[in-house]
Amino acid sequence: MDYSTTLTQLTLRVSLRRMMAYIFLFDAAACTGCKSCQMACKDKHNLPVGVLWRRVFEVSGGSWLPHGEAWTNDVFAYYLSLGCNHCVHPKCAGVCPADAYVQTADGIVYIDETRCMGCGYCAWACPYGVPQYNPMLGRMTKCNFCIDELAQGKPPACVAACPMRVLNYAFIGNESSASNSEYLYLWEHAAQDHPFPLPAFSRTQPHLAIRPHPAMGNGQEKRVANREEVRPPWQVLHRVPEGQVSPFASSRSTGLAFFDKLHSIPARDELPLIAFTLLTQMAVGMTFFSFFFPLSLLHIFLIGFLLGAGGLVSFLHLGTKRNAWRAVLHLRKSWLSREILALGMLVSVWLYWFFERAVLKTGYGALFTTLVGLFFVYSMSQVYRLRAVPAWNSWRTAAAFFLSAGILGVVGASWGRALVSVWMVLWVLLALQVGLIVSAVRPVYPTEERLRGMVTVLMMLGVSLLPLLPPWAQETLSLPIVLLILVEQVWGRWLFYRMRVPAL
Ligand code: SF4
Ligand code: SF4
Ligand code: SF4
């Protein structure tokens, strides 16, 4: 096939921001779902088991319908071949803390793998689930539009392999003339008008043109029979035998033997992040409550220990640790960069506070540490404000993080003294947590959330009873209450990470 002829068949419709770009064209009406493109890509780039830079989705559904005395059916099946869309506004590039993404002048978005630190954040942010972690390299990888083939004037491997010639590519620019009205140029249309299973919330303007299959259209999602195949539930992603890569390649070595052994647990990849977020939030909470409950030098040391332990767990979960220094290179756009910078600042002001308290006995160390700590928790909450993860993308994430900081902080501040000394503050914070849980309109895991709510109410009851009891009973009851609070917080954070159901 003469690929250059495609150029002249294209409509010249480009975003004002990017006037020239490579795009993929996909004729969904004629695709037979043979997956030659998927295999050619895998073969060319020597991808390991489970990593697919191009995926062919099968969407099927419909049923038999009574039609008078007879029965008719509206069954349908179509395919969507999806690599990276080399979007006009690549969200993956914006969030990457290491600034590892490159967007070339002709619109190709690729990862400079020498800069990637393997944090996995871009995979969360891409609405199309495109970036995939390569456990062999310890880095994120994705379709690069076969940039090496293009440089030699050849088509990308997936395009060349398509026996039906339904997958194609083109370079669009001002010079194009003829219009091909059969194609839907996705970057020109709101995501709500993109065919299923492409997500309706994306604002990245994908450089993908589709000739729609007759069955493609809004509302198909409700009639799709193989929904789990198209959008696999998060739990399925990690149920892989030990030693194998997840079928969706999101499972990766955390670098921590304990976490790596937990292969069958949903959201296993995020277990180190559960530890990181809770430990550091507890440290910030303790710092804040130092204004209400005077802390000893040992308490202040514990705050530093929590920050250090959290930071270490977070560092060890990176795929390429030697690139960790790059994490603060994208402060202009990436909240993850800002969060990491804030953590560095927090450790610095804590050191000052500790020194001040040990030597000078007085000063503003607690105030500085608290202010930086609050900014750190806020930045952490913004890291999760991703359009691609609707369950995280609300004010509730920040509220939950600050509440955890408060609850764990009060518990930490009560360390070494009777829990009854902080019971009233703890009770109020637990009540706020119950409010947050019950006010969720459509919880992803309603049963677990209800159970969490009940456990929190139980803890509130226990805390309210404390002041009424004799000292020996207060002491006896304090330990189980504290343990229950810690378990509940880990459970809540685990549910939070489980809520990240990939869009594709
Ligand atoms: S499809 Fe995803 S990975 Fe590709 S450029 Fe767009 S946002 Fe980035
Ligand atoms: S550093 Fe993190 S966000 Fe950036 S490309 Fe690598 S995995 Fe993705
Ligand atoms: S353009 Fe190249 S890297 Fe991208 S999906 Fe096709 S074969 Fe794979």
Side-chain angles (χ1 to χ4, degrees):
M1 181 175 182
D2 179 6
Y3 293 98
S4 61
T5 57
T6 311
L7 296 175
T8 56
Q9 292 171 353
L10 282 173
T11 308
L12 177 60
R13 302 182 207 178
V14 288
S15 95
L16 288 174
R17 179 171 176 264
R18 179 161 298 285
M19 299 307 287
M20 293 186 293
Y22 279 102
I23 66 163
F24 282 115
L25 295 114
F26 177 64
D27 184 350
C31 175
T32 60
C34 72
K35 302 196 178 180
S36 298
C37 53
Q38 186 175 296
M39 285 189 289
C41 174
K42 194 169 174 61
D43 190 42
K44 164 159 173 61
H45 297 282
N46 198 21
L47 303 178
V49 176
V51 179
L52 292 172
W53 288 0
R54 179 166 287 281
R55 294 165 296 169
V56 177
F57 294 91
E58 178 181 333
V59 182
S60 57
S63 63
W64 287 94
L65 304 163
H67 196 255
E69 293 290 303
W71 287 82
T72 57
N73 73 65
D74 63 351
V75 294
F76 64 90
Y78 62 80
Y79 301 92
L80 178 68
S81 173
L82 198 69
C84 173
N85 299 313
H86 301 274
C87 305
V88 179
H89 303 288
K91 186 69 180 166
C92 51
V95 302
C96 173
D99 206 8
Y101 277 81
V102 179
Q103 189 174 27
T104 64
D106 44 18
I108 294 175
V109 179
Y110 70 90
I111 301 173
D112 179 345
E113 290 178 18
T114 61
R115 296 190 202 165
C116 173
M117 59 180 187
C119 66
Y121 188 39
C122 52
W124 289 356
C126 168
Y128 306 95
V130 165
Q132 296 191 16
Y133 186 78
N134 186 328
M136 308 299 170
L137 302 174
R139 292 192 287 263
M140 198 57 75
T141 60
K142 74 168 194 69
C143 157
N144 60 6
F145 223 119
C146 285
I147 211 162
D148 53 336
E149 300 287 347
L150 293 182
Q152 299 173 46
K154 294 182 189 166
C158 52
V159 170
C162 177
M164 299 294 290
R165 293 292 180 250
V166 298
L167 180 64
N168 219 324
Y169 81 109
F171 186 70
I172 51 170
N174 283 336
E175 72 284 1
S176 293
S177 53
S179 163
N180 189 339
S181 58
E182 285 186 287
Y183 276 81
L184 189 65
Y185 298 85
L186 298 189
W187 65 93
E188 292 186 337
H189 296 270
Q192 294 94 304
D193 300 329
H194 294 181
F196 181 82
L198 295 176
F201 55 77
S202 172
R203 290 206 186 150
T204 61
Q205 292 187 256
H207 270 142
L208 175 64
I210 293 182
R211 181 170 168 248
H213 184 279
M216 279 179 163
N218 292 338
Q220 293 295 357
E221 187 175 4
K222 296 184 186 68
R223 300 166 60 224
V224 168
N226 61 336
R227 189 186 299 258
E228 291 208 347
E229 193 182 338
V230 180
R231 290 183 178 173
W234 181 234
Q235 295 92 316
V236 174
L237 299 185
H238 296 86
R239 282 196 193 133
V240 289
E242 188 156 351
Q244 280 189 24
V245 182
S246 149
F248 292 83
S250 56
S251 183
R252 62 178 193 263
S253 166
T254 63
L256 295 166
F258 169 73
F259 291 124
D260 286 343
K261 279 187 188 143
L262 306 173
H263 271 266
S264 56
I265 291 188
R268 180 199 75 112
D269 291 348
E270 279 73 44
L271 293 180
L273 295 180
I274 295 175
F276 165 68
T277 53
L278 289 178
L279 290 171
T280 51
Q281 284 168 16
M282 183 174 191
V284 173
M286 284 180 72
T287 309
F288 178 79
F289 283 110
S290 68
F291 294 104
F292 305 95
F293 315 112
L295 300 185
S296 66
L297 195 61
L298 204 57
H299 281 103
I300 299 174
F301 176 78
L302 176 64
I303 290 172
F305 175 79
L306 293 170
L307 289 175
L312 185 67
V313 171
S314 168
F315 168 75
L316 289 177
H317 104 287
L318 297 177
T320 304
K321 295 167 189 61
R322 67 172 176 278
N323 280 348
W325 65 273
R326 298 192 58 90
V328 289
L329 293 187
H330 206 192
L331 293 170
R332 199 166 58 87
K333 285 190 177 172
S334 171
W335 272 106
L336 188 51
S337 263
R338 293 169 197 160
E339 180 204 27
I340 293 160
L341 179 72
L343 179 62
M345 287 165 57
L346 186 55
V347 171
S348 308
V349 285
W350 169 81
L351 276 171
Y352 169 73
W353 183 24
F354 188 74
F355 168 78
E356 178 192 87
R357 185 63 183 274
V359 181
L360 308 175
K361 309 290 179 201
T362 178
Y364 293 99
L367 181 65
F368 294 151
T369 314
T370 303
L371 291 177
V372 178
L374 292 176
F375 174 67
F376 167 66
V377 175
Y378 175 73
S379 324
M380 191 187 275
S381 69
Q382 294 307 297
V383 166
Y384 297 89
R385 291 296 299 266
L386 298 170
R387 202 173 280 278
V389 190
W392 292 350
N393 192 24
S394 94
W395 60 270
R396 309 179 68 82
T397 297
F401 281 13
F402 277 107
L403 267 178
S404 287
I407 292 168
L408 292 170
V410 171
V411 169
S414 75
W415 179 49
R417 55 187 132 198
L419 192 64
V420 71
S421 62
V422 296
W423 79 272
M424 208 180 287
V425 181
L426 189 54
W427 193 92
V428 171
L429 290 169
L430 291 173
L432 286 172
Q433 178 166 286
V434 173
L436 192 66
I437 292 171
V438 298
S439 65
V441 182
R442 272 192 300 275
V444 181
Y445 298 107
T447 312
E448 282 100 328
E449 286 297 343
R450 263 199 297 273
L451 212 56
R452 254 190 85 210
M454 286 193 279
V455 170
T456 312
V457 170
L458 200 68
M459 293 186 301
M460 286 170 65
L461 273 176
V463 170
S464 344
L465 279 178
L466 276 181
L468 310 174
L469 300 175
W472 66 266
Q474 286 178 2
E475 214 167 286
T476 315
L477 200 57
S478 289
L479 185 64
I481 291 177
V482 167
L483 288 178
L484 199 57
I485 287 173
L486 295 179
V487 169
E488 188 280 327
Q489 285 296 313
V490 173
W491 181 24
R493 193 54 50 85
W494 178 63
L495 282 178
F496 173 82
Y497 283 108
R498 276 182 66 195
M499 287 194 297
R500 193 189 79 82
V501 180
L504 277 175

